[in-house]
Amino acid sequence: MTNISAVLLVGGESRRMGYDKATLLFRGKALWQIQLELLQKLKPAEIFVSARTDPAWRPAYVQFVADDPPSRGALSGLAASIAKMRTGHLLALAIDMPLMTENFLRTLCDHILPGCGALPKIDNRAEPLAAIYPREANGDFRKALDGADFSLQPLVRRLVDTGKLREISVTEQEQKFFLNANELSDLAAL
């Protein structure tokens, strides 16, 4: 794991939630704490938090990366983090997936190759917010930021087509790891 960086994607405005998702409690812990503890277990070379502004809860050992530009959703945070990382790969994890596991993320790491990351896929839908991107995707992210479509789905399809990502099928049992909380009722249901 020493040649992997990790980023916790916090960005977003939490419009549907109505609260800062990162500080919401799930099973007695704030979402940010759950996700950073998970990333720490993987022992990456460096950990980033990507957000619009530097969160007050950010621990000193975590580097802040500003979403740049701030209005492009996860695309902004991923592009800024890939540009800043010192390693060959970036493991991205969304703040609102508290059921993700260390074992699944380690399995993703087992699938990376030089210049090629790993992209979980459930049926025909990619899961780009719990994926590993290679440094070589930096230009693709920058190009996407310059375009008009800021969705990650077309970008990750291009990365797969050009061999920079390999798709990893998610089993039926593993699908629960990708459940996310966009509303308070989602968090209660998890």
Side-chain angles (χ1 to χ4, degrees), residues 13 23 30 43-44 62 66 104 106 119 140-141 167 173 183:
E13 299 174 18
T23 61
K43 299 187 184 338
V62 175
F104 183 83
R106 286 192 184 281
L119 176 70
D140 300 275
F141 275 90
E167 295 175 324
Q173 263 187 318
E183 299 177 5

Side-chain angles (χ1 to χ4, degrees), residues 135-173:
R135 171 183 296 287
E136 290 76 5
N138 186 29
D140 300 275
F141 275 90
R142 290 284 152 211
K143 186 176 178 181
L145 281 174
D146 291 337
D149 183 358
F150 306 123
S151 167
L152 289 175
Q153 293 297 322
L155 172 60
V156 296
R157 274 195 301 279
R158 284 192 303 277
L159 291 172
V160 168
D161 291 345
T162 58
K164 293 176 187 165
L165 284 179
R166 58 195 296 203
E167 295 175 324
I168 309 301
S169 294
V170 174
T171 67
E172 192 172 326
Q173 263 187 318

